[in-house]
Amino acid sequence: MYNLKDTAIPWIGSIPEEWNVEKVKQHFFLKKAKAQQDNPVILSLARSGIKIRDISSNEGQIAESYFNYNPVKPGDLLLNPMDLVSGANCNVSKVTGVISPAYSNLRSKGYADPEYYNYFFKWQYIIMALFAHGKGVSSDNRWTLNNNELLNYFIPVPTRDEQKQIVRFLDWKISGVNRLISSKQREIALIRERKLAEIDRAVTRGVHNTALKESGLNWLPLIPEGWETIPAKALFSHETELRHEGDEMLAATQKYGMIPQKEYMEREGRRIVLATDNLDKWLHVEPDEFIISLRSFQGGLELCTIEGCVTWHYVVLRPKENVYVPYFKWLFKSPSYIGALQRTSDFIRDGQDLRFSNFVKVRLPLIPIQEQRTIADYLERVVPQFDEVEKELLHEIDLLKELRDKIIEEVVTGRIDVRNIVIPEYKYEEEDTDDDSDIEPDNDETEEQED
């Protein structure tokens, strides 16, 4: 076991007496250069590592020129200095290429093992130590870590052999935690699949074992004998009433449904641009109306439960007679209906919004109100049971992530001595992230209104 000493540095704390505390600039170059290749390999920092970017897909932000991009070599440690709060915003490159100059590229002078310091800086992101050293950018209210602060940042310095052993140990232990997390994520995927299957079965077949008949519809080929199908516009009208004075701005999200934009920002810890222009074009919405948003092709239509207004890019649907709103809340979220909506247009490819013209292409079931109520009541009882299991699994994942973070903290600081631990053979398990999107330092996502 080590004898520990107090470094008096808040973001490091106690470390072994044999270790030093030095500055980043003593062990790393901050590489700044310009790409020289005509067709360089473009890299991006994703949550699971440094990725080669397919710019031919035109997804994400595309630069006019990559000449000013920063060259990257295998072993370079990349940090995102513009996102100091979401964690895991650093990684070691395994490939050669170029990356946005907004990233900080640390290249070891020889003694520092970049993989050890990758773990160290991951911990620094987790505890928001880097945030405490950042400064606000007044032009867009962002928080960034400048190069001078980074180069003068204090870091622990174990021996080279200790650094490598720490990396071996953490790779082994973190892989084991990742394996447990992945297992629970697969359980969640299965629970969600079963939940959607039950919703789909109930809204398209009812909850009683009744005889079925052909409907003549591709998306709903068989329906109970007492049901009919009807044009969507016979059940819902397209409302274009403009916003009222004092209407609160709402956002359509797949995660939370229709909620105020300010509440969305609070829940997500992110900001969106609140519109100040063209407010006269915004649409008024009432409770029990449905919203078609840009991402309805992914997650269905959203039910509005509060009064407010939405951007004119959305479509507001008001129910008519023969509509029991709670039933259609489930129907519009069912896989069968979403699949039918997706087939109404090639908007997924050409970027068009879903419009009322898409909505009316999908005929809807005409069901006795009492049966609609029975189906909705059934799903209101059954779906929370699936949700409760998922909630418990998510809680277990959170605990595992906390354990993973604690292991990193204790080992990179030497508070757990791993020098004499023999690492067994194992297969490394990558972190299975729900969001493996690029962590772009020049993309603040301020225009997002949907989840």
Side-chain angles (χ1 to χ4, degrees), residues 103 108-109 131 151 169 213 219 230 234 238 263 289 352 376 402 411 444:
Y103 290 109
S108 174
K109 293 182 177 181
F131 179 83
L151 287 173
F169 178 86
K213 66 179 181 181
W219 80 272
I230 192 172
H238 181 193
E263 181 180 342
E289 293 179 335
Q352 298 175 14
E402 289 177 13
V411 175
D444 62 0

Side-chain angles (χ1 to χ4, degrees), residues 250-257 259-272 295 445 448-451:
L250 307 180
T253 75
Q254 294 177 30
K255 187 184 295 185
Y256 310 114
I259 60 173
Q261 288 186 354
K262 292 180 179 178
E263 181 180 342
Y264 173 73
M265 288 188 283
E266 291 173 358
R267 291 193 184 192
E268 289 292 296
R270 59 190 285 191
R271 60 190 184 85
I272 56 179
R295 294 182 183 169
E445 299 176 311
E448 285 290 333
Q449 292 189 4
E450 303 178 4
D451 176 61

Side-chain angles (χ1 to χ4, degrees), residues 45-61:
L45 175 56
R47 298 191 186 280
S48 61
I50 311 300
K51 305 290 186 180
I52 296 177
R53 187 172 180 181
D54 180 12
I55 60 174
S56 64
S57 66
N58 291 323
E59 293 182 358
Q61 295 182 335

Side-chain angles (χ1 to χ4, degrees), residues 151-333:
L151 287 173
N152 287 285
Y153 199 80
F154 284 110
I155 55 175
V157 184
T159 67
R160 178 78 172 180
D161 287 342
E162 286 173 302
Q163 292 178 39
K164 289 187 173 298
Q165 173 66 359
I166 286 171
V167 170
R168 286 191 290 266
F169 178 86
L170 285 176
D171 283 351
W172 169 48
K173 282 295 184 181
I174 299 308
S175 176
V177 177
N178 288 344
R179 189 171 294 109
L180 291 173
I181 292 174
S182 295
S183 174
K184 294 188 182 298
Q185 288 173 332
R186 287 191 293 271
E187 289 185 61
I188 289 174
L190 183 59
I191 290 294
R192 290 176 178 173
E193 182 181 329
R194 290 175 176 173
K195 179 176 73 172
L196 289 174
E198 187 61 21
I199 292 171
D200 213 60
R201 184 195 65 79
V203 297
T204 61
R205 301 289 180 91
V207 295
H208 303 298
N209 292 324
T210 57
L212 302 177
K213 66 179 181 181
E214 294 185 358
S215 70
L217 303 181
N218 290 331
W219 80 272
L220 192 60
L222 297 174
I223 57 175
E225 285 189 340
W227 296 16
E228 301 295 337
T229 65
I230 192 172
K233 62 184 177 183
L235 295 176
F236 293 89
S237 62
H238 181 193
E239 294 300 312
T240 58
E241 181 181 357
L242 297 177
R243 67 182 288 269
H244 297 176
E245 188 67 30
D247 273 353
E248 186 165 19
M249 295 179 184
L250 307 180
T253 75
Q254 294 177 30
K255 187 184 295 185
Y256 310 114
M258 295 295 300
I259 60 173
Q261 288 186 354
K262 292 180 179 178
E263 181 180 342
Y264 173 73
M265 288 188 283
E266 291 173 358
R267 291 193 184 192
E268 289 292 296
R270 59 190 285 191
R271 60 190 184 85
I272 56 179
V273 173
L274 297 179
T276 56
D277 298 328
N278 297 319
L279 291 179
D280 56 325
K281 294 182 180 180
W282 281 53
L283 304 174
H284 178 74
V285 291
E286 298 276 353
D288 287 345
E289 293 179 335
F290 288 90
I291 305 299
I292 302 176
S293 70
L294 176 63
R295 294 182 183 169
S296 288
F297 76 89
Q298 294 174 321
L301 280 57
E302 303 299 335
L303 172 63
C304 189
T305 59
I306 55 178
E307 185 176 350
C309 63
V310 296
T311 173
W312 67 92
H313 297 296
Y314 294 167
V315 176
V316 180
L317 303 174
R318 179 169 296 173
K320 298 181 180 180
E321 291 185 53
N322 299 314
V323 170
Y324 182 62
V325 169
Y327 164 78
F328 280 90
K329 176 189 74 171
W330 295 110
L331 176 70
F332 290 153
K333 287 290 185 178

Side-chain angles (χ1 to χ4, degrees), residues 346-359:
D346 57 1
F347 62 90
I348 298 176
R349 184 181 72 250
D350 63 22
Q352 298 175 14
D353 291 345
L354 271 176
R355 309 310 305 163
F356 186 67
S357 58
N358 301 105
F359 174 73

